[in-house]
Amino acid sequence: MGIGLILVERGLITRDQLEAALAEQRRTGERLDLVMVRMGVVSRGDVVYALGDQFQMPVVDLDETSVDPEVLRALPASLVYKQNCVPIARNNGTLTIATSDPFELSALDELRLLTGCAIELVLADEEELHRFVRRHYGVGGGTLDQMASDEGERAVVEAGGEDEIEQAQEASVIKLVNDILVEAVTERATDVHIEPYEDQLAVRYRIDGVLQRASVPPTINRYAAAIISRLKIMAQLNIAEKRRPQDGRITFSHRRKDGKIDDFDLRVSVIPMLFGEGVVLRVLSKTAVLISLDELGMSPGMLARWDSMISRPHGIVLVTGPTGSGKSTTLYASLSRIVTDAIKAITIEDPVEYHVDGVNQIQVNARTGLTFASGLRSILRHDPDVVMIGEIRDKETAETAIQASLTGHLVFSTLHTNDASSAATRLLDMGVEPFLVASSVEGVLAQRLVRRVCTEKWEWYTPEAGELPPGFEPPADGRLKRGVPARENRNTGYRGRVGVFELLRLSEAARGLIMDRASAPEIAARAAQEGDLTRLREDGFEKVLAGATTLDEVARALAV
C-alpha cells in the first residue's frame, strides 16, 4: 500500500487532499510524501511513521538516541553526508543504520562491503538526522573528511604560501565555508566568530545574544588559512595583507526548505591575531520582517508614553544601550509607526540594517566623505519631517542634530550609554552646551535584550529566598517560569529575545538640572521622584513575573 493510502487510512489526510497532492506531484516530479509536507496537509512526523509502515522499517527518535563513539566511527563522515545515513548501534555483527530516505537503498551493498557487517535499516525524521549529524560529525564534517581523503599525504598549505589562493578557490573549501555560513543562518546567529589558536580553529555563533561554540571537527584547523582566505576573497579584501585589519562585506543567499530564498548582508572584520587572522561576520538579514513597536516587549503604559514622544513635531528622541542591545530595531519600529504619505523621513546609517518602505535611507561612506555630520547637513536641504541618525559619535554630529531639532525637525538617534539619564551627560561630555541639550532632547529610552523563556519547553519552579535579588517581590504563590533545556532551544532553555526598557521623559525640573550640569544619578533621582522614569531593573522584574524571562537573565544583562 502506498504512503498516500496509508495516510488516508489513518485519517491524517482526506481523499481530496491526496488527489491534490498527486496532481502537484505530476506537475513537479517530487516524491509524494515531500509534496504533502510542503503543501502543509500532513506533518513530517506523520509521514515518517507512514513510511515506516510502508517499508516495514522501525522508526527511531535520534534526538533521544545516545550512540557509542566507536559505532560512529564505523562509517567515514564523507559517506554519512553523501548517503544521508548514520550508524547508531552494533550488535552481534549487525550494524544498525538510520536513514531518512527509504527510497534510496542503493548504498546497502557499499555499506556491507565497507563495514563487513550485516546492515539493519531504521527510519528517522530528516531534520532529526541532520541535527544528529551536526552534533556528532560537526559542521562541514563530510567536506573536511573528503578534503583529507583527496589531500592524502600532501603537506598542509601554509598561510602565505603560493598555493593559498589556489586552495581557497577549491570547490571543497568553498563548500566548507558555505556549510559554516548556512549553519549560522539556520541557527539564527547574529555574529560568526572564527578564531585561530595555536592548535585549533574555533568557530562560535552568537545566538540570542550569547556566544555558543559550533560543533566543528578538530581537523578544520588544517584548513584555517584556506577558510580565512576564502572569506577574504568573498569580501573582496586583499588576500596578501595579513598585518593590518580589514573590513568588507559579503552578500549571501540561502534557500530554505520551503523554497523561499533569504538574502543576507555579512559585514566582515578581519584582524591579525597571535596565531593567524581572526574573522568576525555580522549577519544582517535583508529579507527579515521588520518587528513592530508592539512586539518589542514594552508595557502598555511605557508604549503609550513612547508613542507620545515619537509623535512630536520636533525635538530629539534618543535610544541608548550597548552594542547589540536592539537600539536600531527600536528606531526602525518607531519610524514605521509614524511614517505616512504626509511625512517625509530620511535616515543616515552605518550600516543600513533594514529596508523600510516609505523611508529614504542613506549609507555612510567614509571613503567619499559621507559621514553622519556631513550627511545630516545635506539631508536637511531635502525638506524632511523626520530624520534618523544611526549614532551620535562626536560633537559635530550632536550639534548638527540639535540644530535640526531646533529648526522644526523630529530627530531620532542612538548613544552608547548604560542608562537613560547618562545620555544628557554624555552629550555635555562631547562639548555640547547645556542649554542646547536641555532645549532639544525630549526623551531617552535605554534598553537591553534578555533571552526569552522557551515557549515549547518550560516549567514552574519555586526559587529559594536567597536567590531573589533585592527589590524583587515574588508572586503570591512564589512560583516563577523557567525553560527546560531541549533540542528546540539548543539545550539552553531559552529561545528568542525580548527587550527590557528604561524610559526617561525630560521634565522642566530635569532640564534645569542639565543646565546646572548635574550628574546622571541626580537627574535619574529627580525624574523617578516625579514619575518620569521607569528603571531597567523594574521593567526586567516585571518581565520575570510575566514569565517572559528569568532572574538569571535579568542579572546577566543588567548586573542587578
Side-chain angles (χ1 to χ4, degrees), residues 430-450:
M430 288 180 182
V432 181
E433 291 296 331
F435 75 91
L436 289 175
V437 176
S439 60
S440 60
V441 178
E442 297 296 334
V444 184
L445 182 75
Q447 67 180 70
R448 301 288 190 279
L449 291 176
V450 294

Side-chain angles (χ1 to χ4, degrees), residues 133-317:
V133 170
R134 289 199 302 269
R135 188 164 66 245
H136 293 286
Y137 292 90
V139 179
T143 306
L144 284 166
D145 196 64
Q146 187 61 50
M147 288 164 69
S149 174
D150 293 344
E151 185 180 73
E153 300 300 319
R154 190 182 73 185
V156 178
V157 173
E158 298 291 338
E162 293 180 2
D163 296 333
E164 185 180 343
I165 297 178
E166 181 181 340
Q167 188 183 33
Q169 297 185 37
E170 288 181 0
S172 53
V173 174
I174 292 172
K175 185 177 186 306
L176 177 58
V177 170
N178 286 346
D179 288 343
I180 293 171
L181 298 181
V182 167
E183 176 77 358
V185 300
T186 301
E187 295 294 333
R188 304 176 296 109
T190 55
D191 300 87
V192 181
H193 293 241
I194 300 174
E195 305 162 331
Y197 296 98
E198 185 173 11
D199 55 359
Q200 64 172 311
L201 183 73
V203 178
R204 296 194 289 172
Y205 300 138
R206 189 175 295 279
I207 301 170
D208 293 334
V210 178
L211 279 172
Q212 300 177 35
R213 188 177 282 263
S215 175
V216 293
T219 52
I220 197 172
N221 186 51
R222 302 174 62 189
Y223 307 98
I227 291 168
I228 292 167
S229 294
R230 171 60 189 164
L231 288 169
K232 289 167 77 173
I233 289 170
M234 293 172 73
Q236 297 183 338
L237 301 179
N238 183 355
I239 194 172
E241 178 56 74
K242 300 180 184 298
R243 297 169 298 173
R244 297 179 182 175
Q246 296 187 73
D247 295 311
R249 60 188 291 179
I250 296 170
T251 299
F252 178 75
S253 297
H254 170 56
R255 184 183 294 277
R256 300 195 317 227
K257 292 195 173 181
D258 60 7
K260 295 181 180 177
I261 296 177
D262 288 332
D263 295 320
F264 297 89
D265 194 14
L266 310 180
R267 298 303 166 113
V268 184
S269 175
V270 183
I271 297 180
M273 303 286 187
L274 185 60
F275 297 104
E277 291 177 288
V279 180
V280 174
L281 310 170
R282 167 62 60 90
V283 183
L284 304 173
S285 175
K286 291 183 176 180
T287 47
V289 177
L290 193 63
I291 297 174
S292 72
L293 207 51
D294 299 303
E295 298 173 291
L296 295 180
M298 291 187 195
S299 66
M302 184 181 291
L303 182 57
R305 295 197 300 275
W306 180 248
D307 266 333
S308 175
M309 288 182 190
I310 64 175
S311 301
R312 295 181 63 86
H314 55 77
I316 294 181
V317 179

Side-chain angles (χ1 to χ4, degrees), residues 40-73:
V41 299
V42 69
S43 71
R44 287 195 330 272
D46 290 336
V47 165
V48 169
Y49 281 97
L51 286 172
D53 277 359
Q54 182 182 3
F55 287 89
Q56 297 184 332
M57 292 169 64
V59 177
V60 295
D61 182 350
L62 288 181
D63 287 329
E64 303 297 328
T65 302
S66 57
V67 181
D68 187 328
E70 193 63 36
V71 172
L72 292 172
R73 287 192 283 270

Side-chain angles (χ1 to χ4, degrees), residues 318-370:
L318 296 171
V319 180
T320 76
T323 300
S325 60
K327 300 186 296 297
S328 296
T329 300
T330 298
L331 286 182
Y332 283 122
S334 301
L335 270 180
S336 295
R337 183 85 149 203
I338 64 172
V339 167
T340 65
D341 287 341
I343 292 176
K344 176 159 184 171
I346 306 180
T347 75
I348 180 160
E349 310 167 58
D350 184 23
V352 174
E353 295 185 27
Y354 292 94
H355 294 201
V356 186
D357 288 338
V359 176
N360 299 271
Q361 296 174 271
I362 300 170
Q363 170 78 48
V364 165
N365 189 338
R367 293 178 182 175
T368 62
L370 180 56

